[in-house]
Amino acid sequence: MAVQELYALQNGFMSAQRSLLFYGEFSGDRVQIPITCWLVKTTDGTILFDTGLSPRAVPGLMRNDPLARFTEEDLLVHRLDVLGLQAGDVDLVVISHLHYDHAGGAEFFAKSELVVQQDEYSYAHHPAAFFAPFYYRKNFDLPEARWRLLDGDTELAPGVSVLRTDGHTPGHQSLLVELPQTGPVILAGDACYWQEHIDGERPPGVVWNPTLAMHAIKRLKTLARLTGGRIFPSHDPEFWRTIKQSPDAFR
Ligand SMILES: [Zn+2]
């Protein structure tokens, strides 16, 4: 009954204007950012955190985004394949929120339980007009899927806990993973895009409620301090370049 390994799975790169990354910035400069998924192996089962882009969305991205990069290897099913896993081997798929760069692969996990916050699930079906472009209904309108809708912090398995971190979206969640050697790691999801968001307590530019987003960052920092853990941001190119990538694992 324990966490064994954590794998960083790259799901290609896209670009974002700085104004979308940092609340209050008005720069149209584009930056290349990684799309990230994480796999957690425990003695009880296998947990995926975030599912990246839908393969359906990749051709359009490659056409329209000059900084996009996406190879065959970047497909989530291929990333799992390298680890000797098929989609059906994943027990729980925790989705930080239902934006298209996090929920795009949910459809492949028909046998898994899809874990999201109830509020996120509801909002994604009826988003406000300003936020609708980030929710692709096809990603989560999955009649066959088994959804587990949470309301707040939840322990999913020994050493694996969902942390509610609203702000970026109305029902955002992060994942605390307690690794045997590395210690606690918080997979922030889009509660923290970059290390700079953590250090400067800066809300993302794409945001439902900037004040709550800032509170979420502060809360994760407090938890990291109290547990002696680290926060792993979701879209930080510098962080991504420097960490262990699958098939290497954090243990
Ligand atoms: Zn994102």
Side-chain angles (χ1 to χ4, degrees), residues 2-231:
V3 178
Q4 296 171 306
E5 285 149 0
L6 171 69
Y7 296 88
L9 310 180
Q10 180 179 299
N11 187 237
F13 291 82
M14 61 180 182
S15 75
Q17 292 98 321
R18 282 191 65 90
S19 57
L20 294 182
L21 292 173
F22 293 99
Y23 186 73
E25 276 203 25
F26 297 96
S27 163
D29 291 351
R30 284 185 170 272
V31 193
Q32 188 185 56
I33 59 172
I35 300 164
T36 61
C37 309
W38 301 88
L39 189 92
V40 184
K41 278 195 183 170
T42 80
T43 49
D44 306 71
T46 302
I47 301 171
L48 182 70
F49 182 68
D50 279 342
T51 66
L53 285 175
S54 167
R56 263 195 319 271
V58 172
L61 184 77
M62 296 301 281
R63 253 196 324 274
N64 300 320
D65 181 345
L67 296 180
R69 222 188 77 206
F70 206 100
T71 65
E72 279 289 303
E73 291 175 318
D74 288 333
L75 286 170
L76 181 55
V77 287
H78 292 167
R79 293 285 177 209
L80 294 176
D81 198 39
V82 169
L83 299 176
L85 294 169
Q86 298 193 323
D89 299 324
V90 178
D91 301 293
L92 295 177
V93 178
V94 180
I95 308 176
S96 61
H97 62 302
L98 294 173
H99 281 177
Y100 67 88
D101 57 325
H102 297 263
E107 63 181 300
F108 300 114
F109 298 91
K111 290 186 188 159
S112 320
E113 255 189 304
L114 305 181
V115 182
V116 295
Q117 294 287 322
Q118 162 86 60
D119 289 341
E120 182 69 14
Y121 188 79
S122 305
Y123 186 86
H125 286 83
H126 304 284
F130 83 94
F131 233 29
F134 299 99
Y135 290 106
Y136 293 2
R137 206 183 176 99
K138 272 188 184 167
N139 290 337
F140 47 82
D141 204 1
L142 306 170
E144 310 285 282
R146 286 192 297 143
W147 293 94
R148 192 199 290 188
L149 301 178
L150 305 182
D151 184 17
D153 292 359
T154 306
E155 188 182 34
L156 295 177
V160 184
S161 298
V162 161
L163 304 170
R164 179 82 179 235
T165 43
D166 296 349
H168 176 58
T169 66
H172 193 280
Q173 58 188 7
S174 305
L175 196 69
L176 171 65
V177 180
E178 296 168 68
L179 286 156
Q181 291 163 33
T182 310
V185 165
I186 296 170
L187 305 174
D190 284 356
C192 308
Y193 279 166
W194 288 13
Q195 184 65 39
E196 196 175 336
H197 293 77
I198 303 167
D199 296 339
E201 299 177 358
R202 300 187 67 179
V206 174
V207 69
W208 168 70
N209 182 320
T211 302
L212 289 182
M214 183 192 61
H215 291 170
I217 296 168
K218 286 170 179 274
R219 173 157 181 261
L220 292 186
K221 287 175 76 171
T222 302
L223 286 169
R225 194 169 62 242
L226 293 176
T227 61
R230 289 181 63 190
I231 302 172

Side-chain angles (χ1 to χ4, degrees), residues 232-250:
F232 283 5
S234 60
H235 290 296
D236 187 330
E238 200 52 47
F239 165 79
W240 196 246
R241 244 194 308 280
T242 52
I243 62 152
K244 255 182 245 175
Q245 296 283 332
S246 173
D248 266 4
F250 291 92

